[in-house]
Amino acid sequence: MLNSFGRPDRTAKVLFAQRPRTNIRRSSKISTATVAALLETPASNGTPTSRDVTVTGFVRSVRKQKQRAFVALGDGSSYEPLQAVIQPEQAHGLSTGVAVTIGGEWRPSPSGKQQSHELHAKSVKVMGQHDLNNYPLQKKFHTPEYLRTLLHLRQRLPSNALLLRLRSQTIAAFSDFFTRQSFVQTHPPIITSSDCEGAGEAFTLNPQNDVRHQNGKTQVQGTPEPFFRAPKYLTVSSQLHLEALAQAVGKVWTLSPTFRAEKSDTMRHLSEFYMLEAEVAFLETLDELMDVVEDMLRSVIHQLQRKGMADEVLSAYSLDASAANHQGAPSDRKGLEQRWLRMVEKPWPRLPYSEAVEFLQQAADTKKVQFEFPPAYEAGLQAEHERFLAQEIGAGSPVFVTDYPTAQKPFYMAPSSDLPENSDSPPPTVSCFDLLVPDVCEIVGGSLREHRLENLLRSMQRQGIKIGKDYQRQLEPANGDAYNSAPEIGSLDWYADLRRFGSVPHGGFGLGFDRLLCYLAGVPNIKDVVGFPRWYGRCDC
């Protein structure tokens, strides 16, 4: 090697000479395997060339006999446990919940056994302390309500571990779809300057030093000084920031936590949940946007089926006798299987909101169904209406309901039909959709975005969103009072700038990720598909 003067660099030679030799680790005959991998592996035939295996996990149950003992072992990789055959003396200290390492030989089970293969143990090692007498997850039925008091432990149950893996593989399937479609994954902020939906349900941030605790209660001391010079919030949607990012790279998506300060405790709502959101620039029709959503979900379902996750979810559902006994859950495996099939077997119906309301009213008038809330155009769709539409219009498949009344939707949505620039009158409907599925109801909402500056400003005004002085002067140049009362810079002036500087037609959508998991897993309560759910009055660990 030459130095900067073109002469041999002796320093470099010394440095290279002093590099330590790396020891190449040789492969061992003993390999650590997951339970899932072992259950899929043909057993050894007992010949001298067979390899021993080692598996780690938690004991689900122990059955002791005089000459041997049987351990059902799980590690979260499979709903089905692995059966290990051990000597009675090796079973000492083993009980439900104990973490162990078992080494031995993987052999065929005797004929007539439920499991085709089993692990004949040569060594059993307890890996950590376990308080058997007080362990709260003994081998018996536990209600979902009880398990919600044990959020830090319930993940060890086979059904909850399966939900974690379903979540992981579903994320991977979405990522694969968006990569193939040339979307760019992004990370929009969690702390925002506005409530995107305009519903006033955002959590406001306060610095810790502005909060004191007295008699077990949390109180804010006086009027806290804003950490960011003005009040900021936990995001209720990443949409507005995604619109900005989409104008840079065309198509973007994110899977991010969102927060709603709703004081409700229902089966479909949480205070913290994950939203999958996407924005597409240069998109001009709602049908194009719905095509993206339909293709996306079909692709995800197909990949989950190819990976074997669908079969495992369905098998687990048929084995869990308690799963089908809850309101909103399929009655059996066939019912859950129909959910998966209806997602992929035919095109999804699309109908305008007005036709949906007429359909509901006709069903109520003919006594086909009795609603608690009579359907009305101005009142919006209730959950019972959405369930009925998905079941009757879609025959169990998802259904797009489009073109909702303007008064029911946020300020940023484009009108269903073209309006003249600078129109003072609001459009009767906006170009949007909700995707409805049986039982779970809405899982996706999307729209074309209003990309014309003055129409957007007027929509913001109609919904009480303050705009800055510059935009107020542009909108109403003769209205001095409105100008004087306007802030110097509105909290969403940056969003209006996206229309001012190189605006393009575009649209996007948000998918309730946790609701989708509920639908695919047959779990009726959203609190039970999230590892550590937060809802009104509950944030335990």
Side-chain angles (χ1 to χ4, degrees):
M1 180 179 291
L2 303 181
N3 61 19
S4 58
F5 299 100
R7 299 171 182 171
D9 191 338
R10 294 185 176 86
T11 303
K13 184 180 294 184
V14 171
L15 288 175
F16 284 125
Q18 290 177 346
R19 285 182 178 176
R21 293 182 178 181
T22 58
N23 294 322
I24 300 177
R25 183 181 178 184
R26 301 185 183 278
S27 60
S28 171
K29 290 185 178 181
I30 300 177
S31 59
T32 301
T34 65
V35 169
L38 274 178
L39 293 177
E40 295 175 358
T41 303
S44 63
N45 56 11
T47 62
T49 58
S50 63
R51 291 196 312 168
D52 287 348
V53 296
T54 299
V55 64
T56 60
F58 291 90
V59 174
R60 294 189 187 177
S61 65
V62 181
R63 182 164 49 92
K64 299 178 182 178
Q65 297 178 355
K66 288 185 178 181
Q67 296 183 343
R68 66 189 67 187
F70 300 91
V71 176
L73 188 70
D75 63 356
S77 65
S78 168
Y79 185 83
E80 292 288 343
L82 174 149
Q83 178 168 283
V85 182
I86 65 177
Q87 297 302 312
E89 59 271 18
Q90 293 176 314
H92 178 71
L94 299 189
S95 61
T96 300
V98 172
V100 296
T101 297
I102 301 178
E105 189 175 359
W106 189 234
R107 298 180 186 173
S109 300
S111 60
K113 296 290 185 179
Q114 182 177 2
Q115 186 169 294
S116 61
H117 307 89
E118 56 194 13
L119 178 63
H120 286 250
K122 297 179 180 178
S123 65
V124 178
K125 181 181 179 181
V126 175
M127 302 302 293
Q129 180 178 334
H130 181 64
D131 185 355
L132 168 62
N133 294 329
N134 295 303
Y135 185 55
L137 296 178
Q138 298 296 333
K139 189 181 178 182
K140 62 179 182 179
F141 171 72
H142 301 288
T143 67
E145 292 76 18
Y146 172 71
L147 292 175
R148 288 175 207 142
T149 68
L150 300 169
L151 299 180
H152 57 303
L153 296 176
R154 70 172 183 175
Q155 318 305 329
R156 301 184 190 182
L157 295 176
S159 56
N160 290 77
L162 174 59
L163 290 173
L164 289 175
R165 289 186 288 110
L166 173 63
R167 175 181 291 267
S168 177
Q169 289 203 23
T170 304
I171 293 172
F174 275 116
S175 181
D176 179 69
F177 170 82
F178 284 121
T179 298
R180 286 187 284 106
Q181 297 298 320
S182 300
F183 279 72
V184 176
Q185 185 177 11
T186 62
H187 296 98
I190 301 300
I191 301 174
T192 67
S193 59
S194 63
D195 175 357
C196 171
E197 300 291 337
E201 297 167 346
F203 285 99
T204 304
L205 292 179
N206 286 316
Q208 181 66 32
N209 57 6
D210 290 328
V211 178
R212 64 186 177 91
H213 303 276
Q214 185 175 3
N215 299 326
K217 296 183 178 180
T218 302
Q219 298 178 336
V220 178
Q221 301 184 40
T223 302
E225 178 182 352
F227 184 85
F228 295 103
R229 297 187 297 180
K232 303 301 175 187
Y233 314 93
L234 293 180
T235 183
V236 298
S237 171
S238 298
Q239 177 209 313
L240 305 188
H241 294 93
L242 288 178
E243 289 187 50
L245 299 175
Q247 293 193 16
V249 292
K251 297 186 288 188
V252 296
W253 76 283
T254 189
L255 180 62
S256 303
T258 54
F259 307 86
R260 300 287 173 93
E262 293 179 338
K263 293 184 177 181
S264 61
D265 182 10
T266 73
M267 298 172 65
R268 300 190 302 140
H269 294 90
L270 290 173
S271 298
E272 177 186 3
F273 54 96
Y274 270 75
M275 287 284 290
L276 186 148
E277 298 178 83
E279 289 290 324
V280 183
F282 301 99
L283 184 145
E284 300 187 62
T285 70
L286 192 63
D287 280 326
E288 291 178 278
L289 186 60
M290 290 188 287
D291 288 343
V292 173
V293 172
E294 189 166 347
D295 292 344
M296 174 190 71
L297 286 173
R298 288 178 184 276
S299 173
V300 168
I301 299 301
H302 280 307
Q303 181 157 326
L304 292 175
Q305 291 172 329
R306 289 195 303 270
K307 296 289 186 178
M309 178 54 67
D311 286 337
E312 189 173 7
V313 169
L314 294 172
S315 296
Y317 196 81
S318 63
L319 293 173
D320 188 353
S322 64
N325 295 329
H326 298 285
Q327 181 182 2
S331 59
D332 53 22
R333 170 178 173 149
K334 185 176 180 180
L336 183 59
E337 190 172 7
Q338 289 301 308
R339 286 187 176 183
W340 289 74
L341 293 176
R342 294 287 190 269
M343 294 281 282
V344 296
E345 67 181 4
K346 63 179 182 179
W348 302 345
R350 304 176 181 184
L351 77 161
Y353 172 87
S354 58
E355 293 183 15
V357 172
E358 290 178 5
F359 181 83
L360 294 169
Q361 290 172 336
Q362 290 175 4
D365 291 342
T366 58
K367 308 300 182 182
K368 185 176 182 179
V369 64
Q370 184 174 355
F371 294 117
E372 180 181 356
F373 299 95
Y377 185 86
E378 298 79 10
L381 299 180
Q382 301 293 326
E384 60 178 342
H385 304 149
E386 294 178 342
R387 279 192 291 267
F388 186 79
L389 289 170
Q391 195 59 50
E392 297 298 320
I393 297 292
S397 75
V399 176
F400 287 104
V401 178
T402 68
D403 302 290
Y404 282 71
T406 301
Q408 297 180 18
K409 293 297 181 179
F411 70 94
Y412 50 74
M413 294 187 176
S416 297
S417 56
D418 289 335
L419 291 177
E421 191 77 26
N422 310 330
S423 173
D424 290 326
S425 301
T429 61
V430 285
S431 187
C432 67
F433 69 83
D434 284 349
L435 182 64
L436 313 178
V437 296
D439 300 317
V440 177
C441 304
E442 179 197 349
I443 60 170
V444 186
S447 74
L448 298 183
R449 317 309 191 189
E450 177 55 82
H451 68 282
R452 296 169 297 182
L453 175 61
E454 295 202 18
N455 283 12
L456 177 66
L457 294 176
R458 295 188 185 280
S459 179
M460 293 168 69
Q461 272 195 333
R462 284 193 293 267
Q463 296 203 22
I465 299 173
K466 292 184 178 181
I467 58 178
K469 289 186 180 298
D470 286 347
Y471 280 125
Q472 183 61 52
R473 181 188 293 112
Q474 180 176 342
L475 193 62
E476 298 178 293
N479 192 338
D481 292 338
Y483 175 81
N484 292 331
S485 62
E488 286 295 329
I489 300 177
S491 63
L492 286 177
D493 279 11
W494 68 269
Y495 183 68
D497 283 349
L498 301 177
R499 277 68 178 168
R500 182 181 180 184
F501 304 112
S503 179
V504 298
H506 61 287
F509 61 86
L511 177 145
F513 186 74
D514 302 308
R515 285 190 184 182
L516 176 64
L517 296 183
C518 283
Y519 188 68
L520 296 179
V523 176
N525 198 313
I526 195 171
K527 301 179 184 69
D528 299 325
V529 297
V530 176
F532 296 93
R534 279 80 171 91
W535 69 95
Y536 179 60
R538 296 291 297 273
C539 183
D540 295 340
C541 61

